[in-house]
Amino acid sequence: MIVYGIDVGGSGIKGAPVDVSTGTLIDERRRIPTPRPAAPEPVIDTIAQLVEEAGWSGPVGVALPAVVQDGMVRTAANIDRSWIGVDARSQLVERLGLPVHVINDADAAGLAEATFGAAQAVGGMVLVLTFGTGIGSGMVFDGTLVPNTELGHVEFRGMEAERYAAARLVEEEDMNLEWWASRVGEYLRYLERIFWPRLFVFGGGISKRFETIAAIIETSTPVVPAHFRNRAGIVGAACAAAGEATEA
Ligand code: BGC
């Protein structure tokens, strides 16, 4: 089954058709800069543009950087606040005229990594963390996603953890990479004391620099880079949509 996966990020909205039986992108990835403000209407228009340009007419999975319950957006830390309370699924179904599934972006990454990537066949708890504009968390237990965990918003060192350790600090605020990595290490050790995961998967665009910082991130739990790097949202959104289509 092929599903068109879309990942709405802080700087770009990316999409590609995904073979959900293997997790591979079967055509080029398209990217359109995220509109400013990233309010529902312009973002939905951009999603529609991606789908139309791809000539797509099948099911669509959309990953949003927000808590999503039954297609409804509940939070908006790094997108426009006007998303809160929006029934994203219904609006997208209406706009695209196609079946749509909406999922949190880090949950999508968690699904992709657990199904085809770095957390494949790992038993017990795995925390897939995506470092970008914020920090997203995809919690997976014995291969099953525990949705909407939002571990980027736990209070750490007197602030929300994502203020302390999001990759934005390096990418937009010129924080030294090694210094940032030591903060990530502190944050992971904190999560470790609470959840005792078997594995951390380090995701987000910055995961391509993982080799440079791996030695600085000192934890008892193994930390591995995300297999899908920043394609995880696209792949996971497509897989989630396929799962829903199969259940229905
Ligand atoms: C949001 C999460 C999202 C993460 C990564 C956080 O600020 O609250 O829902 O997964 O950023 O985009």
Side-chain angles (χ1 to χ4, degrees):
M1 182 181 190
I2 312 294
V3 176
Y4 200 81
I6 294 180
D7 188 12
V8 177
S11 57
I13 302 185
K14 295 141 283 185
V18 179
D19 179 340
V20 295
S21 62
T22 58
T24 43
L25 308 194
I26 60 154
D27 200 356
E28 59 164 336
R29 193 180 76 134
R30 289 161 193 272
R31 180 185 188 279
I32 299 177
T34 306
R36 304 252 172 259
E41 213 183 290
V43 168
I44 289 172
D45 283 347
T46 309
I47 292 172
Q49 189 185 336
L50 276 174
V51 171
E52 278 155 25
E53 283 177 6
W56 184 253
S57 59
V60 177
V62 177
L64 290 179
V67 168
V68 180
Q69 288 176 320
D70 301 324
M72 190 78 97
V73 176
R74 299 293 186 192
T75 64
N78 293 310
I79 44 171
D80 197 75
R81 289 196 64 76
S82 56
W83 273 99
I84 296 176
V86 167
D87 185 341
R89 181 174 53 201
S90 302
Q91 293 213 8
L92 281 160
V93 166
E94 195 174 314
R95 181 75 164 74
L96 303 177
L98 300 171
V100 180
H101 183 80
V102 186
I103 183 174
N104 169 265
D105 56 357
D107 282 349
L111 257 188
E113 295 295 336
T115 317
F116 303 111
Q120 219 181 127
V122 179
M125 181 175 294
V126 177
L127 292 179
V128 177
L129 298 167
T130 62
F131 293 89
T133 312
I135 298 177
S137 56
M139 180 185 282
V140 178
F141 189 81
D142 278 349
T144 302
L145 181 74
V146 182
N148 291 318
T149 48
E150 295 292 312
L151 300 183
H153 294 281
V154 292
E155 191 177 323
F156 184 66
R157 292 196 168 270
M159 63 187 94
E160 287 193 278
E162 69 176 23
R163 303 246 168 261
Y164 189 70
R168 183 181 49 79
L169 297 170
V170 177
E171 290 160 347
E172 288 165 32
E173 292 180 24
D174 290 333
M175 184 183 279
N176 170 280
L177 183 68
E178 281 77 18
W179 178 250
W180 174 74
S182 71
R183 286 187 169 200
V184 171
E186 280 178 70
Y187 170 57
L188 295 192
R189 288 194 294 280
Y190 176 66
L191 295 181
E192 211 167 43
R193 290 202 298 278
I194 302 170
F195 296 105
W196 288 88
R198 303 281 177 85
L199 181 72
F200 283 118
V201 179
F202 181 92
I206 201 151
S207 62
K208 57 178 176 288
R209 296 166 86 177
F210 181 74
E211 311 312 330
T212 331
I213 54 172
I216 304 168
I217 303 175
E218 284 177 41
T219 52
S220 329
T221 312
V223 184
V224 295
H227 169 75
F228 288 107
R229 311 263 157 156
N230 53 0
R231 281 170 296 131
I234 294 178
V235 173
C239 292
E244 191 178 68
T246 327
E247 276 163 29

